[in-house]
Structures are given as structure tokens and as C-alpha cells.
Amino acid sequence: MKPLQPDTLIRNPTGVPIVASVVVNCHARRLWNMVGQFTSFDVFIPALSHIETIGNGIGALRTKFFRDGNRVVEQLNSRDEHAMHMTWTTIYNTLGVARLWAAINVDALGDKCSRVTWTIIAEPVDTTQVGFEQFVQGFANSALDNVRRLLG
């Protein structure tokens, strides 16, 4: 019998990045303080009822609880407070997403103007699913439009 070898189910997705971006009339640090908090996406995504986290910093896990009963577990891969960007990976979900990697970053466009960009690369469980990219794009667009309403 062959000895067990290291393995993992976590693999980066492949595909075309889905990008959502909005310009907000506020200081970049204020924008980052909203979208750059891994544990607080429920502040700007109304579909979330709450978030529970395990751990702090890189490697922390968050479980996003959706109002419709769905759940998503994600791990924080990187976060740079000074550069205002972070990345994470979905490791479990009930939404039909096989793999998902995401990044969010904030850029200052002036003293009271900034841009948030959310990049997502995702693969559906059902590769024949129609409208998956449009669903992901719509979700990200809606979340960032809400950020602009809350801060703009």
C-alpha cells in the first residue's frame, strides 16, 4: 500500500476576471475603512445577515451568513493596510461556486475622491450553468453601488 501523500482541495480558479469598480466622493482611507475590513462586509452587502470570524489577520476565516440561508466560508490570503488591498479565497459555500478568488483595493484619486475595485475570478460547480458571470458581476456591482450610497 502506497503511503498517504500531502494533498489539498484548495486550488485557484481559472477564467476571466470579473471586475467591479466605483468612484466615491470621500477620502481613500475612509473608503478603505469600510471595504477593507475582512470581517465587516455585512456593512455594505444587505444580503448578508451577519459574519462570524475565526482568527485574526492572514489566514483568518470568515463565514458569511446570507439572509436567504446560504453560507460562504472564506480565508484571508493577504492584506496590506498601507497599500489598501487584500485578497481572499472561498473554501466552502452553498452558492454553487466551485472555486473563487477575490481582491479588493482602494486608490486615492484626490483628497476627497477615491476608487474601490473588486476583482473576482470564479468557477461554477455546474460548468454548463448559464448566467454565472452575470450573477457574480451583478452581485459585486450592487455591493459597490451600495458603498457609494453609504459614503458618497
Side-chain angles (χ1 to χ4, degrees), residues 67-133:
R67 296 185 189 283
D68 66 5
N70 281 297
R71 291 187 186 178
V72 175
V73 179
E74 297 169 322
Q75 182 176 40
L76 182 61
N77 298 328
S78 69
R79 186 171 189 283
D80 187 319
E81 182 70 23
H82 178 72
M84 296 185 288
H85 63 73
M86 69 177 170
T87 65
W88 63 94
T89 301
T90 296
I91 56 177
Y92 172 82
N93 71 88
T94 58
L95 295 171
V97 178
R99 280 166 289 287
L100 184 143
W101 172 90
I104 203 158
N105 66 285
V106 171
D107 297 301
L109 301 178
D111 188 42
K112 295 199 188 264
C113 187
S114 50
R115 176 179 48 242
V116 57
T117 303
W118 190 353
T119 304
I120 300 168
I121 301 174
E123 298 174 16
V125 170
D126 179 359
T127 57
T128 65
Q129 179 179 347
V130 174
F132 178 75
E133 289 83 8

Side-chain angles (χ1 to χ4, degrees), residues 1-23:
M1 183 170 158
K2 183 179 171 187
L4 295 175
Q5 297 294 311
D7 60 355
T8 183
L9 295 175
I10 299 173
R11 179 172 66 76
N12 281 324
T14 58
V16 176
I18 296 165
V19 179
S21 186
V22 297
V23 173

